[in-house]
Amino acid sequence: MRKADLYASLVVFLVALPLCVGVAIASGVPAELGLVTGIVGGLVAGLLPGSSLQVSGPAAGLTVLVYEAVQTYGLPALGVLVLGAGLVQLVLGALRLGRWFRAVSVAVVQGMLAGIGLVLIAGQVYALGDTAAPASGLGKIAGLSSLPGAADPRALAVGGATVAVLLLWPRWRRGARVVPAPLVAVALASAATGLWDLPVRRVTVHGLLDSVQPPSLAELGRLTEVGVLGTVLAFALIASAESLFSAAAVDRLHRGPRTDYDRELIAQGAGNAVCGVLGALPMTAVIVRSAANVRAGARTKASRVLHGVWLLLFTAVVPGVLGIIPVAALAGLLVHAGCKLVPVREVRTLWRGHRGEVVVLGVTAVAIVAGNLFEGVLIGLALAVAKTAWDISHVHVETEDRGDAGMVVRVVGNATFLRLPKLLDALEALPHDRDVRLELGGLRHVDHACAAALERWAAARDHGRVATITSTS
């Protein structure tokens, strides 16, 4: 094992530790379950082939969906949901469908991340002030106006200071290379809270064995419920998409072996199956930890496996340390992570040349905030498909007047029902007292609706004039 991999594993461990705990708290589950998922991400997914340098664990991107699932079905059902999602991922990987996740519209993915980020920020702002957040996304946003009066100013100060450290620490490049900003922020917040004995809410520690809850046979039987199956599919598809998009991003950060998407999907499925058996959070590949791994100089998968070992040792030896961490500090960590999920720069770039993509992104994000993650993604995908169909349905009508020989009308492009009104308007505007020769050889595609409309138009020409439809090129 190389020294670079050993050093990188320690860096990733220090980044992952507060994030694992923070994601668990935000998901409404015991803090230890986030650490269990981080351990499985290192020891199970880390050992399997796929992507050599990306690191897996609990991700902020699934926080909203997990919280909704736990509130709806209860904590004992979480293991069943995650186990089912892992099995779906294993099937998708075995069928070699991993590469198809790259075909998902980038605007939908960015809209999904933006929606998750907005809901995450809105929810964690309440945790910054040690107050309870409303259940729905719209409720969280609507309640922000009354938050200042209800929030604990001491908790807000702790959370705000955490965000400030997260923003300022990376500017000291030498220090940031040695100790990651998340660890510094949470450690300073914990130290200040203990030093001044601030009465703010802290992480509740249950113990690793007490938190692990393998699913019972009764819970496994819930896989026959339609709602449970829908949630399983949502877990599987969103976790797979996030992992494979992360793999593509990580591949751009190094010159080592490229990701095998199908094998990586199998690795993620195996990891989630184990997480489900342990009743833990779902896992995905996480770009923050993966980027830290690459930048720390990792060369092989040994670094990500070792980071799981360090998490396991920490959880087994000093779990009580979690009890000194203020919840407001973890909320600040997740507010910062949520802000990073909102693709502000990408929106500016898209707006200059692809405003339709911005509409898809915006509608997806709003649908997630107003409804839920699964429905929002489905709406975004449907809108992206509709936009693509509209974009490729370009049809042009060209006319040539040949005097006494009549007129030649050429229809060029793709004639679909989406452009049928435009096509018929152009044809009906032709003079009714002239013979017309209609040439369709320039059409690359004609759907049934347009073909039938063209036949009806030809048959309905006035004054006995005959429209001849040809397919000459």
Side-chain angles (χ1 to χ4, degrees), residues 7 38 102 181-182 200 218 225-226 322 363 370-371 438-439 471:
Y7 172 73
R102 291 180 292 176
V200 297
E225 298 177 20
V226 175
L322 298 177
V363 170
L438 185 62
E439 295 185 353
S471 59

mmCIF file of all heavy atoms in Angstrom, residues 7 38 102 181-182 200 218 225-226 322 363 370-371 438-439 471:
data_model
loop_
_atom_site.group_PDB
_atom_site.id
_atom_site.type_symbol
_atom_site.label_atom_id
_atom_site.label_comp_id
_atom_site.label_asym_id
_atom_site.label_seq_id
_atom_site.Cartn_x
_atom_site.Cartn_y
_atom_site.Cartn_z
ATOM 1 N N TYR A 7 -2.498 8.384 3.426
ATOM 2 C CA TYR A 7 -2.799 9.785 3.748
ATOM 3 C C TYR A 7 -4.177 10.176 3.232
ATOM 4 O O TYR A 7 -4.966 10.816 3.940
ATOM 5 C CB TYR A 7 -1.727 10.700 3.141
ATOM 6 C CG TYR A 7 -2.062 12.166 3.250
ATOM 7 C CD1 TYR A 7 -1.979 12.823 4.481
ATOM 8 C CD2 TYR A 7 -2.473 12.883 2.128
ATOM 9 C CE1 TYR A 7 -2.304 14.169 4.585
ATOM 10 C CE2 TYR A 7 -2.795 14.226 2.228
ATOM 11 C CZ TYR A 7 -2.717 14.864 3.457
ATOM 12 O OH TYR A 7 -3.042 16.199 3.563
ATOM 13 N N GLY A 38 -21.452 4.785 5.992
ATOM 14 C CA GLY A 38 -20.098 5.158 5.578
ATOM 15 C C GLY A 38 -19.136 3.990 5.657
ATOM 16 O O GLY A 38 -18.280 3.804 4.779
ATOM 17 N N ARG A 102 -26.406 7.742 -18.232
ATOM 18 C CA ARG A 102 -25.772 8.922 -18.818
ATOM 19 C C ARG A 102 -26.671 9.609 -19.831
ATOM 20 O O ARG A 102 -26.386 10.717 -20.272
ATOM 21 C CB ARG A 102 -24.453 8.520 -19.485
ATOM 22 C CG ARG A 102 -23.380 8.107 -18.494
ATOM 23 C CD ARG A 102 -22.087 7.721 -19.191
ATOM 24 N NE ARG A 102 -22.209 6.496 -19.954
ATOM 25 C CZ ARG A 102 -21.254 5.976 -20.719
ATOM 26 N NH1 ARG A 102 -20.096 6.600 -20.800
ATOM 27 N NH2 ARG A 102 -21.431 4.857 -21.363
ATOM 28 N N ALA A 181 -12.145 21.371 5.945
ATOM 29 C CA ALA A 181 -12.993 22.411 6.529
ATOM 30 C C ALA A 181 -14.157 21.849 7.347
ATOM 31 O O ALA A 181 -14.456 22.384 8.429
ATOM 32 C CB ALA A 181 -13.509 23.331 5.422
ATOM 33 N N PRO A 182 -14.863 20.792 6.909
ATOM 34 C CA PRO A 182 -15.981 20.291 7.732
ATOM 35 C C PRO A 182 -15.556 19.871 9.128
ATOM 36 O O PRO A 182 -16.253 20.137 10.115
ATOM 37 C CB PRO A 182 -16.498 19.090 6.911
ATOM 38 C CG PRO A 182 -16.119 19.392 5.509
ATOM 39 C CD PRO A 182 -14.799 20.081 5.609
ATOM 40 N N VAL A 200 -27.463 24.310 24.072
ATOM 41 C CA VAL A 200 -27.998 24.014 22.739
ATOM 42 C C VAL A 200 -28.127 22.502 22.591
ATOM 43 O O VAL A 200 -27.484 21.728 23.310
ATOM 44 C CB VAL A 200 -27.094 24.587 21.626
ATOM 45 C CG1 VAL A 200 -27.030 26.100 21.719
ATOM 46 C CG2 VAL A 200 -25.688 23.997 21.694
ATOM 47 N N ALA A 218 -42.002 -9.238 9.011
ATOM 48 C CA ALA A 218 -43.205 -8.421 8.823
ATOM 49 C C ALA A 218 -42.906 -7.203 7.948
ATOM 50 O O ALA A 218 -43.707 -6.826 7.074
ATOM 51 C CB ALA A 218 -43.747 -7.983 10.182
ATOM 52 N N GLU A 225 -46.604 -3.627 -0.942
ATOM 53 C CA GLU A 225 -47.379 -2.386 -0.974
ATOM 54 C C GLU A 225 -46.910 -1.495 -2.130
ATOM 55 O O GLU A 225 -45.709 -1.355 -2.366
ATOM 56 C CB GLU A 225 -47.236 -1.633 0.350
ATOM 57 C CG GLU A 225 -47.753 -2.403 1.557
ATOM 58 C CD GLU A 225 -47.517 -1.641 2.857
ATOM 59 O OE1 GLU A 225 -47.319 -0.410 2.790
ATOM 60 O OE2 GLU A 225 -47.537 -2.284 3.923
ATOM 61 N N VAL A 226 -47.868 -0.901 -2.804
ATOM 62 C CA VAL A 226 -47.540 -0.071 -3.979
ATOM 63 C C VAL A 226 -46.662 1.115 -3.573
ATOM 64 O O VAL A 226 -45.678 1.439 -4.245
ATOM 65 C CB VAL A 226 -48.831 0.423 -4.662
ATOM 66 C CG1 VAL A 226 -48.499 1.392 -5.798
ATOM 67 C CG2 VAL A 226 -49.637 -0.753 -5.184
ATOM 68 N N LEU A 322 -19.521 11.695 19.746
ATOM 69 C CA LEU A 322 -20.636 12.259 18.985
ATOM 70 C C LEU A 322 -21.552 13.100 19.864
ATOM 71 O O LEU A 322 -22.179 14.053 19.396
ATOM 72 C CB LEU A 322 -21.449 11.137 18.318
ATOM 73 C CG LEU A 322 -20.719 10.259 17.296
ATOM 74 C CD1 LEU A 322 -21.650 9.162 16.801
ATOM 75 C CD2 LEU A 322 -20.214 11.095 16.135
ATOM 76 N N VAL A 363 -38.555 23.957 -13.529
ATOM 77 C CA VAL A 363 -39.796 23.225 -13.251
ATOM 78 C C VAL A 363 -39.513 22.001 -12.380
ATOM 79 O O VAL A 363 -40.266 21.693 -11.456
ATOM 80 C CB VAL A 363 -40.480 22.812 -14.571
ATOM 81 C CG1 VAL A 363 -41.628 21.836 -14.313
ATOM 82 C CG2 VAL A 363 -41.002 24.043 -15.303
ATOM 83 N N ALA A 370 -42.419 21.709 -4.172
ATOM 84 C CA ALA A 370 -43.863 21.731 -3.938
ATOM 85 C C ALA A 370 -44.426 20.352 -3.631
ATOM 86 O O ALA A 370 -45.415 20.229 -2.903
ATOM 87 C CB ALA A 370 -44.579 22.319 -5.157
ATOM 88 N N GLY A 371 -43.833 19.296 -4.189
ATOM 89 C CA GLY A 371 -44.341 17.945 -3.989
ATOM 90 C C GLY A 371 -43.340 17.084 -3.264
ATOM 91 O O GLY A 371 -43.084 17.235 -2.078
ATOM 92 N N LEU A 438 -47.090 18.789 -54.501
ATOM 93 C CA LEU A 438 -46.559 18.696 -53.151
ATOM 94 C C LEU A 438 -45.482 17.621 -53.095
ATOM 95 O O LEU A 438 -45.752 16.446 -53.348
ATOM 96 C CB LEU A 438 -47.682 18.368 -52.160
ATOM 97 C CG LEU A 438 -47.312 18.360 -50.674
ATOM 98 C CD1 LEU A 438 -46.844 19.739 -50.226
ATOM 99 C CD2 LEU A 438 -48.500 17.911 -49.834
ATOM 100 N N GLU A 439 -44.259 18.021 -52.806
ATOM 101 C CA GLU A 439 -43.143 17.090 -52.753
ATOM 102 C C GLU A 439 -42.707 16.880 -51.301
ATOM 103 O O GLU A 439 -42.421 17.834 -50.592
ATOM 104 C CB GLU A 439 -41.961 17.622 -53.575
ATOM 105 C CG GLU A 439 -42.273 17.722 -55.063
ATOM 106 C CD GLU A 439 -41.068 18.142 -55.879
ATOM 107 O OE1 GLU A 439 -40.024 18.476 -55.258
ATOM 108 O OE2 GLU A 439 -41.156 18.144 -57.118
ATOM 109 N N SER A 471 -42.883 11.814 -53.542
ATOM 110 C CA SER A 471 -41.811 11.546 -52.590
ATOM 111 C C SER A 471 -40.446 11.713 -53.230
ATOM 112 O O SER A 471 -39.489 11.095 -52.837
ATOM 113 C CB SER A 471 -41.949 10.121 -52.026
ATOM 114 O OG SER A 471 -41.891 9.181 -53.088
#
